Amino acid sequence: MRSAARERVGNLPHELTNFVGRRRELAEVRRLLSESRLVTLTGMGGVGKTRLALRAAANLQSTFEDGVWLVELGGLHDPAFVADTVAAALGLRERIGRPAQVLLADFLADRHLLLVLDNCEHLVHEVAALAESLLRAAAGLRILATSREALAAGGEAVLRVPPLTVPDTDRDSTLRGLPRYDAVKLFTQRACAVVPGFGLTEDNKVAVTRICQRLEGLPLPIELAAARLRALSAEQLLQRLTDRYQLLTTGNRVAPSRQQTLRLCIDWSHDLLGERERTLWRRLAVFTGGVELDAAETVCGTDFADDELIDVLASLVDKSILIREETGEVVRYRLLETLREYGREKLQEAGEFHDTRRRHRDWFEELARRARAEWIGPRQLEWADRLAREQPNLRDALEFCVSEPGQSGTGLVMAVALYQYWISRGLYGEAKSWLDRALAGTDGHGPAERIPGLCANSVLSEMQGDIESARAQIAEMRGLVDRVDDPATKTLLDLGTGFLSMFSGDLPRAVDCFESALEGFRAEGDLLQQVEALFGLALARGVWGDPDRAIACQEEALAITASHGESMYRSYVMWTLGMALFQRRELARSSELIESGLRLTREVGDPLATSTCLETLAWIASDDGGAERAAVLMGAAVSVGEAAGNPTIVIRDLHGHHDRVWADAGRVLGPRAFEDAYRRGRDLDIDAAVAYALNDKALATPRAREPGVRLTRREREVAELVAQGLTNKAIAQRLVIAQRTAEGHVENVLAKLGFTTRTQVAAWIVADDADPDG
C-alpha cells in the first residue's frame, strides 16, 4: 500500500487572467486523457494551446494523486537538457553518475501523475523519445503536451486546437447573443481590464464583432487588439486594423490564412508602438525565461536615458506585449514565446543580434562572478535563488561562450563561478557538462583559465565515481602548474589533489594536501577556498580517526561561516563537526549540531547534505539505544537521496558506519520490525523526513483551518481511507460508490479542512485520532 506521505500537489501557476470558453475542447482533453496516456494539443502560435492545457490540467488535479506538473520548454534550446528540465520541474536533483532520464523513470515508476510539457515544437524528436521512454517505465503517468506539430510518438492522441468561436459573417448577431461566442467574450473581458466599465452596446457591437472576425478568433491577436482600447475606440481600432490588413494582404502570400492573421496582427501591434518601445521589445527577446529590471537596464538600455527604460517597460506591459510576474519582492518581465520569436527576428533585422547577445553574456558572467564573490556572506541564499531563476539565461550565456569562436575561456571562468551554486542544488551533471565543453574549447589556452576549471571538474568526477578521469585532470593541472610561476596555481593543485586523495582512500596524503592548500588560501585571503580547504581537511582528519584535530578545523570554519552569515558550508561544517563528536561518543552534542546542519540544508535546498544528515542522525540514534528511530531515519535518508537523485554516502570510508548500524538495528528489532520501520522512513517525503528527524510535530502534523471542524460520517470514512493511502478508485470500490462520488467526497474533505494535499489529510486523521477532545 502506498503511503499518502508521498503525495505531491504539483506546480501549476495561478491564472493571471480569466479563462474564457473552450468547454468542448476541455471536455475533449479530459476524454482523450482517459483513453490515451499521451495527448498533444497542436495548432499555430497564438491559438491558445498553453492556456487550454493549463486549464484542462487544473481541472484534472484531483484525479492525479501525485499532482500535475508543468514543464516549460519554450526557453530551452539545447536538446541535451530536455530530461534535466523535466526533472528540475518535478523538484528532482541529478543523481551522481546517473542520467536524468533514468532518474525520472525511477521516480515516476509508481506514481499517478500528469506531466504538462509546454512548447515542444523545437524539440519534437527529443520530447517524443523521452515521453515514450517514461510512459513505458511508469504505468500511472499521463502526458499532456503542446506543440505546433504532433510529436509522432507511439500511442499519441492529437487534438488540434481551433480558434475561438466567432459570429457568422453572413448573419447579424443580436446584442444578447454575442457573448456566447468565445472570441467576443475574450475581447470584452480584456477590454474591461484596460477600460473599466467597457461593455458591449448597440453602438459598438458591430465593430467588436468585425474585429473578432478579422482576427479569426485567435486569442493572442485579440488580446493585443483589446489592449489598444486604452487609446482608441472600437470603431477606430477596427478602421486601423482594416487598413493594415488591406495594406499587407496585397500581393502573393503563401502562408495559411490564420498564420497570416497572427503575423499581420503582431506586425500591426509592432508598428503602432513608438520607436523606443520597438527597440526594447526586440532587445528583451534575447532573454530566455524572463528578465529582471537590473538585467534589462544593462543589456537593453545602452542608449536609453535615466529611468526611460522603466517607463517603456511599463508601456509594453500596458499594451500586452510583456507579462509582468511578481513573486514576493521579485518582479520579472516575460515575453510570450510567439512575441519573443518575433522580437528576435526584429533584432536580427536591426543588425543588433550578436552585440545584444554579447551584452547578455557579459551581464550574466558578471552576475555569476558577483555570486561567487559574495558566496561566503549573508546574501548566499538570495544569490542561490537568483541563479535558480536565471538558469535559462545562464544556459544561453554559456552556450554563447562555447559556440562562439574565442569565447570558451570566458565560458570556463563563468562555469567555475557557478560551481558552488550547482553543487548546492545538486546539479552535478549540468556542472560537469558545461565544464567539459568549456575545457574542450580552451584546450591549449593559458593555465590561468584551465587550472580552476580542471580543479572543479576533478571533484565532480570523483563525486560521480570516475576516479580515473579525476586523476587525468589532476595530472594535467600538475603539468600546467610546472609551467608557470604563480603560487595561487600550486594552491589549487594542492586542493584538487587533496580531494582526489580523500575520494581514493589515501587519507594521510589528503591531510597533507589540504593543510598546504589552507596555508596558501590564507595567504591569498580567499575566504571561500579557505572554507573549502578547512572542510576537506576536517573531513579527512575525522574519517582518518583524528577527531580532536578535525574539531579544531571545523571550529575555525564555523567561525568564518557564522560570522559572515553563510549557510551552505556552515551546514557542511556542522555535519563534519557532529561526525567528529560522534566518533568521540559525545552523542547529545553531536545530534544537536547535525540537527542544526539539517535545518540549514533545507534552507539552502541541498539534497545531498540533507540525506547525509539524516543518515548520520540514524547512526547516533542507534548508538543511543534508538534502534527503531535509526531504521526510520535510514529509510528516510535513502528516500530523500533517491528522490533528489543522489546517493546518501559519497565518501567510501563512511560506509562502515552504515553497515554496522544496519546490522545493529536489525538485530535489536528483528527482521520484520526493522523492515517495517525502514519502510516507514522510505515512505516519507523530504519535509516529513526532516520533521521526523527534528521531532517537529508542528511541521509534521497539519491542523485544520478552523478549530472544531467536523466532517460528515461519510466524509470521515473517506478521510480515513485517504489516510490508508487508497486512491479515489479504490475508495469507490471499498465503499461501493461511483468513482466520481468518491472524488467529490475527497474534494469536500480537503475544502472543509483547508488542506491542499492528501498527505495533510492523512496527518490530520492521525492527530485527530490521538486527540481525546477531537
Side-chain angles (χ1 to χ4, degrees), residues 6-20:
R6 296 174 66 180
E7 307 295 340
R8 305 183 71 174
V9 296
N11 66 343
L12 289 183
H14 295 295
E15 291 181 334
L16 298 178
T17 55
N18 292 336
F19 185 83
V20 174

Side-chain angles (χ1 to χ4, degrees), residues 31 66 164 178 207 211 367 374 418 442 541 559 573 588 601:
R31 185 188 69 78
D66 294 298
L164 299 175
L178 278 176
I211 289 169
L367 185 79
E374 296 185 24
L418 292 169
T442 57
R541 281 177 169 170
V573 172
T601 67

Side-chain angles (χ1 to χ4, degrees), residues 504-670:
S504 302
D506 188 352
L507 297 175
R509 189 179 185 206
V511 167
D512 289 342
C513 289
F514 284 132
E515 285 178 339
S516 178
L518 179 59
E519 182 180 350
F521 290 135
R522 281 175 177 153
E524 296 166 21
D526 189 328
L527 276 182
L528 174 56
Q529 295 196 302
Q530 277 184 60
V531 170
E532 200 166 357
L534 281 166
F535 170 68
L537 180 57
L539 188 55
R541 281 177 169 170
V543 175
W544 193 16
D546 188 0
D548 292 339
R549 296 179 72 186
I551 287 171
C553 293
Q554 290 145 356
E555 288 176 340
E556 181 181 350
L558 200 56
I560 294 172
T561 55
S563 64
H564 287 79
E566 192 271 350
S567 299
M568 171 184 155
Y569 282 105
R570 186 153 45 114
S571 72
Y572 297 171
V573 172
M574 285 180 171
W575 170 69
T576 56
L577 183 53
M579 273 291 300
L581 292 171
F582 168 68
Q583 290 175 296
R584 291 206 321 197
R585 318 310 300 154
E586 297 181 32
L587 300 185
R589 176 66 177 143
S590 172
S591 179
E592 180 183 328
L593 278 165
I594 294 174
E595 286 175 2
S596 297
L598 180 59
R599 290 186 178 91
L600 282 174
T601 67
R602 292 299 291 132
E603 289 183 24
V604 174
D606 189 328
L608 177 57
T610 298
S611 60
T612 302
C613 287
L614 291 170
E615 173 76 17
T616 311
L617 287 171
W619 304 345
I620 296 169
S622 177
D623 286 9
D624 201 28
E628 181 180 0
R629 180 173 173 79
V632 173
L633 285 169
M634 290 176 82
V638 171
S639 175
V640 170
E642 286 184 350
N646 300 301
T648 305
I649 303 170
V650 294
I651 306 297
R652 71 180 192 180
D653 295 83
L654 296 179
H655 281 280
H657 293 293
H658 172 87
D659 295 341
R660 176 182 62 79
V661 169
W662 182 281
D664 288 350
R667 185 171 55 253
V668 170
L669 295 174

Side-chain angles (χ1 to χ4, degrees), residues 43-66:
M44 61 174 292
V47 79
K49 300 184 295 294
T50 297
R51 287 299 302 271
L52 175 60
L54 292 179
R55 172 48 69 97
N59 291 348
L60 291 166
Q61 274 186 308
S62 63
T63 65
F64 289 93
E65 300 164 49
D66 294 298

Side-chain angles (χ1 to χ4, degrees), residues 307-578:
D307 295 331
E308 181 189 8
L309 184 135
I310 297 176
D311 293 336
V312 179
L313 272 176
S315 179
L316 289 176
V317 171
D318 290 341
K319 293 168 182 175
S320 298
I321 305 300
L322 272 182
I323 297 172
R324 181 184 184 276
E325 299 173 326
E326 186 170 353
T327 304
E329 297 181 358
V330 177
V331 174
R332 287 179 72 82
Y333 299 91
R334 179 171 60 87
L335 286 164
L336 289 176
E337 194 60 25
T338 301
L339 300 184
R340 181 171 173 269
E341 290 174 4
Y342 182 93
R344 288 172 77 89
E345 287 181 20
K346 292 296 182 183
L347 195 62
Q348 289 172 325
E349 289 174 10
E352 297 179 347
F353 187 71
H354 187 273
D355 288 347
T356 308
R357 280 201 74 193
R358 178 69 175 261
R359 288 198 303 273
H360 175 276
R361 190 283 310 275
D362 291 346
W363 196 89
F364 283 101
E365 179 202 357
E366 178 60 25
L367 185 79
R369 286 175 179 267
R370 282 189 288 137
R372 186 192 185 282
E374 296 185 24
W375 197 254
I376 303 297
R379 295 189 60 207
Q380 183 186 83
L381 299 182
E382 290 178 38
W383 276 117
D385 288 342
R386 178 69 188 268
L387 295 176
R389 293 195 301 272
E390 301 294 4
Q391 181 111 323
N393 283 308
L394 291 167
R395 284 173 173 167
D396 270 6
L398 285 163
E399 185 63 40
F400 178 88
C401 292
V402 298
S403 60
E404 287 288 315
Q407 299 299 316
S408 289
T410 303
L412 188 53
V413 170
M414 189 174 170
V416 170
L418 292 169
Y419 172 76
Q420 271 75 26
Y421 161 70
W422 282 325
I423 292 293
S424 76
R425 295 299 172 97
L427 301 173
Y428 310 105
E430 174 138 3
K432 190 148 194 343
S433 173
W434 288 118
L435 282 164
D436 283 344
R437 292 180 69 186
L439 283 166
T442 57
D443 191 19
H445 282 50
E449 292 172 338
R450 290 190 65 78
I451 287 176
L454 287 166
C455 184
N457 212 20
S458 67
V459 177
L460 286 166
S461 297
E462 292 148 15
M463 294 180 73
Q464 294 179 329
D466 190 354
I467 300 298
E468 290 310 308
S469 289
R471 289 190 199 283
Q473 290 170 97
I474 295 298
E476 184 184 346
M477 282 181 69
R478 189 173 293 111
L480 293 172
V481 168
D482 290 343
R483 286 166 37 195
V484 296
D485 183 19
D486 182 3
T489 60
K490 171 65 167 61
T491 304
L492 274 178
L493 175 61
D494 287 336
L495 182 69
T497 306
F499 278 112
L500 174 62
S501 301
M502 184 171 66
F503 277 97
S504 302
D506 188 352
L507 297 175
R509 189 179 185 206
V511 167
D512 289 342
C513 289
F514 284 132
E515 285 178 339
S516 178
L518 179 59
E519 182 180 350
F521 290 135
R522 281 175 177 153
E524 296 166 21
D526 189 328
L527 276 182
L528 174 56
Q529 295 196 302
Q530 277 184 60
V531 170
E532 200 166 357
L534 281 166
F535 170 68
L537 180 57
L539 188 55
R541 281 177 169 170
V543 175
W544 193 16
D546 188 0
D548 292 339
R549 296 179 72 186
I551 287 171
C553 293
Q554 290 145 356
E555 288 176 340
E556 181 181 350
L558 200 56
I560 294 172
T561 55
S563 64
H564 287 79
E566 192 271 350
S567 299
M568 171 184 155
Y569 282 105
R570 186 153 45 114
S571 72
Y572 297 171
V573 172
M574 285 180 171
W575 170 69
T576 56
L577 183 53

Side-chain angles (χ1 to χ4, degrees), residues 217-286:
L218 291 172
L220 178 57
I222 287 171
E223 297 204 27
L224 292 173
R228 280 289 160 189
L229 290 178
R230 185 175 278 107
L232 302 171
S233 69
E235 282 288 351
Q236 290 172 318
L237 182 62
L238 174 64
Q239 185 59 47
R240 286 173 177 252
L241 189 59
T242 302
D243 291 346
R244 180 65 176 169
Y245 270 41
Q246 290 173 344
L247 176 65
L248 292 179
T249 52
T250 55
N252 181 24
R253 277 199 170 263
V254 296
S257 172
R258 287 198 176 97
Q259 290 184 15
Q260 291 182 36
T261 299
L262 177 63
R263 178 72 187 200
L264 295 175
C265 187
I266 298 176
D267 280 340
W268 172 71
S269 295
H270 180 263
D271 288 351
L272 286 176
L273 298 176
E275 185 56 40
R276 307 306 276 161
E277 292 168 322
R278 295 181 209 166
T279 299
L280 186 55
W281 178 354
R282 66 175 180 258
R283 292 178 184 173
L284 287 172
V286 78

